[in-house]
Amino acid sequence: QSVLTQPPSVSAAPGQKVTISCSGSRSNIGNNHVSWYQQLPGTAPKLLMFENSERPSGIPDRFSGSNSGTSATLAITGLQTGDEADYYCATWDGSLTSWVFGGGTRLTVL
Amino acid sequence: EVQLVESGGGLVQPGGSLRLSCAASGFTFSNYNMNWVRQSPGEGLEWVSNIRSSSSGIYYADSVKGRFTISRDDAKNSLYLQMDSLRVEDTAVYYCTREPLGGWAFEIWGQGTMVTVSS
């Protein structure tokens, strides 16, 4: 049971938009920045978004992040088959004094 | 090039010990907070432990507290994870990760090292 809640899977057609939610509480998302990670099959995770909505260099602007209260959202527009991966949200939990991850969301591009 | 390379994984019996290492290069290792994150086969990511720069703070997940010890040697640009009293449920790929300066994220990831705990 993950501290952060993500949908297990989402899907959409190429070219479409998809959003992935990450729900937490005041002790984590409510008071700390959220980051997002993309894990392609058989590879290490890669940072996709930090400080809720900042993209590292090299990440296309098709990826965007937002944060509202105790929830965060990753949006991907112009879906490509290469976007098929597992996506994870993470943040620091001040009450637990630990990093916490969401359970992960598998994106399928139909 | 900024790089993290883990080593030390392998097969160990329940109750045994293993020491993982992470060699950092391409950046000033001593300035950065470092973490270990693991992923059991077919499962999601789980944070294991964090060590601040200058070892000014150390944190553990409840699942490993009292059994695992994180440490760093800034002179050798290396991060370590001493794992004792290993359990079957510790079986996972262990990733070494670096946080960004002043930021809260896992910015850089190693390729991971597999730890299998089995009799």
Side-chain angles (χ1 to χ4, degrees):
Chain A
Q1 193 83 353
S2 302
V3 173
L4 304 181
T5 301
Q6 297 181 234
S9 63
V10 295
S11 62
Q16 298 299 304
K17 173 183 176 180
V18 71
T19 60
I20 299 173
S21 60
C22 175
S23 178
S25 66
R26 185 182 303 177
S27 66
N28 43 66
I29 294 178
N31 276 287
N32 295 290
H33 292 305
V34 174
S35 52
W36 290 90
Y37 303 86
Q38 177 192 60
Q39 187 174 32
L40 298 169
T43 69
K46 178 176 79 171
L47 178 65
L48 208 56
M49 202 73 55
F50 65 99
E51 294 182 1
N52 303 324
S53 59
E54 297 297 315
R55 282 178 283 107
S57 90
I59 301 299
D61 59 7
R62 299 189 297 107
F63 295 88
S64 63
S66 62
N67 184 323
S68 177
T70 59
S71 290
T73 301
L74 175 70
I76 311 172
T77 59
L79 275 172
Q80 302 174 0
T81 55
D83 295 332
E84 285 202 331
D86 293 325
Y87 292 83
Y88 297 89
C89 59
T91 189
W92 178 259
D93 190 300
S95 293
L96 299 175
T97 58
S98 72
W99 280 94
V100 290
F101 280 97
T105 299
R106 177 151 296 178
L107 168 63
T108 302
V109 181
L110 303 168
Chain B
E1 179 193 4
V2 173
Q3 197 171 11
L4 299 171
V5 178
E6 303 93 335
S7 61
L11 175 63
V12 61
Q13 293 187 335
S17 297
L18 213 54
R19 189 194 195 208
L20 304 184
S21 298
C22 170
S25 59
F27 62 98
T28 305
F29 179 74
S30 61
N31 289 347
Y32 290 84
N33 300 335
M34 301 294 295
N35 294 266
W36 288 97
V37 175
R38 69 184 181 183
Q39 186 171 35
S40 298
E43 301 296 322
L45 300 173
E46 179 188 16
W47 171 77
V48 173
S49 183
N50 167 280
I51 185 166
R52 305 293 196 203
S53 60
S54 305
S55 301
S56 57
I58 288 177
Y59 303 90
Y60 297 98
D62 286 345
S63 57
V64 307
K65 202 170 292 183
R67 301 187 299 120
F68 289 11
T69 304
I70 191 172
S71 63
R72 64 191 296 160
D73 185 336
D74 290 343
K76 294 184 177 180
N77 293 331
S78 292
L79 177 72
Y80 305 101
L81 186 67
Q82 176 65 42
M83 304 186 295
D84 298 320
S85 303
L86 281 162
R87 305 168 180 167
V88 170
E89 55 265 34
D90 294 320
T91 295
V93 174
Y94 285 73
Y95 295 102
C96 169
T97 72
R98 187 196 86 175
E99 296 180 22
L101 284 176
W104 292 81
F106 304 108
E107 181 183 30
I108 306 296
W109 295 69
Q111 86 288 350
T113 187
M114 183 71 204
V115 172
T116 303
V117 185
S118 173
S119 54

